[in-house]
Amino acid sequence: MEDVASLEVAFSKSLWDLGFREWAYQVIRTDALPDEKPLILTTFPDAWYSHYIDNGYHRVDPVILNGPSQVAPFTWSAMSFGIEPSPEQARLFAEATEFGLGEGVGIPIHGARGSLAMASMVSDHGANGLTRLMSTVGQDVHLMSLAFHNHARELLALGRSGRTTVSLTRRERECLLWIAAGKSAWETSRILGISARTVYFHLDNVRAKMGVTNVYHAVVKAIMEGMISP
């Protein structure tokens, strides 16, 4: 794969062929600062993605908190068995269900040189059907997620060192284009119909992918490399 976007498309197709409709991938950093936003690649609906970040659910999600300690794929509900959820976690569970994301599969990823990540995916099979599905394709999904992680890690690292042009998602490119046009994050959020916090989240992902310290540097680099044309 030459870029992250192509990798995402291939991963989506492979998961779809196995019976999964949407997925999310999050890099786990044990040294992350409390307010530091995670790097997340996902095909989950924008409405849920925005809601998840706006409410800081990435800081309380049991799948993200406890998943990396697992060695095998697990259902999301397994992370809360025997544990009384906090009010924030209970709200997360209830709202995820409203978005059709009440149950899914978590894939703990232990990559090269101690790198950690979590992949999550959902299907239309229901809880019982999901268990049966994983009994047949669980090993394949695990290996695919590990391969995705290793490729993504390499591509993002290459992007930071400037040896290749990283690829931005549609939403990341839209946010960067409006910033390049002189719009603020708040104005961009009104134009795109998402929250300002989600705009900042996408721009943080852009900075991480491109290996720059601020969004204005990202704009200049993106224009110079032909990634956007304001």
Side-chain angles (χ1 to χ4, degrees):
M1 297 294 172
E2 296 182 356
D3 54 51
V4 175
S6 298
L7 181 63
E8 289 180 303
V9 170
F11 192 47
S12 293
K13 183 181 185 305
S14 297
L15 289 176
W16 180 268
D17 290 342
L18 291 179
F20 297 95
R21 59 179 168 86
E22 291 168 329
W23 57 270
Y25 163 84
Q26 178 172 333
V27 174
I28 306 297
R29 288 188 52 195
T30 56
D31 61 345
L33 298 174
D35 293 330
E36 186 174 348
K37 294 180 176 64
L39 174 59
I40 299 177
L41 305 176
T42 184
T43 62
F44 286 173
D46 279 349
W48 171 250
Y49 183 73
S50 176
H51 187 73
Y52 186 89
I53 297 301
D54 284 352
N55 287 276
Y57 285 154
H58 57 284
R59 292 191 289 269
V60 300
D61 190 343
V63 173
I64 300 302
L65 295 179
N66 304 324
S69 65
Q70 306 299 306
V71 295
F74 56 85
T75 58
W76 294 347
S77 58
M79 288 296 96
S80 58
F81 285 164
I83 301 174
E84 184 68 25
S86 68
E88 293 84 1
Q89 289 173 331
R91 188 168 65 250
L92 164 62
F93 300 152
E95 293 173 351
T97 300
E98 292 177 3
F99 275 88
L101 302 171
E103 181 65 296
V105 172
I107 311 291
I109 301 173
H110 302 264
R113 294 184 288 279
S115 59
L116 293 174
M118 277 299 308
S120 294
M121 49 214 63
V122 296
S123 73
D124 292 319
H125 291 74
N128 292 333
L130 185 59
T131 300
R132 290 193 296 271
L133 179 64
M134 287 302 292
S135 69
T136 59
V137 304
Q139 185 174 9
D140 292 335
V141 172
H142 200 174
L143 291 174
M144 284 169 46
S145 299
L146 179 59
F148 177 88
H149 169 71
N150 286 333
H151 280 296
R153 187 169 179 269
E154 179 180 356
L155 289 171
L156 292 171
L158 288 173
R160 285 193 295 273
S161 65
R163 287 179 284 158
T164 189
T165 299
V166 298
S167 180
L168 305 180
T169 67
R170 177 182 61 84
R171 187 63 88 187
E172 289 167 351
R173 187 175 291 106
E174 287 174 342
C175 290
L176 199 58
L177 274 168
W178 285 113
I179 296 299
K183 302 297 184 182
S184 67
W186 183 87
E187 290 171 325
T188 299
S189 72
R190 299 303 93 189
I191 294 169
L192 298 179
I194 58 180
S195 71
R197 186 177 297 184
T198 302
V199 172
Y200 284 122
F201 181 80
H202 286 304
L203 293 175
D204 282 344
N205 276 353
V206 170
R207 289 192 303 102
K209 287 181 178 182
M210 299 181 71
V212 297
T213 58
N214 61 67
V215 70
Y216 303 106
H217 187 183
V219 167
V220 172
K221 187 172 182 179
I223 293 173
M224 292 178 63
E225 296 188 1
M227 300 165 72
I228 60 172
S229 300

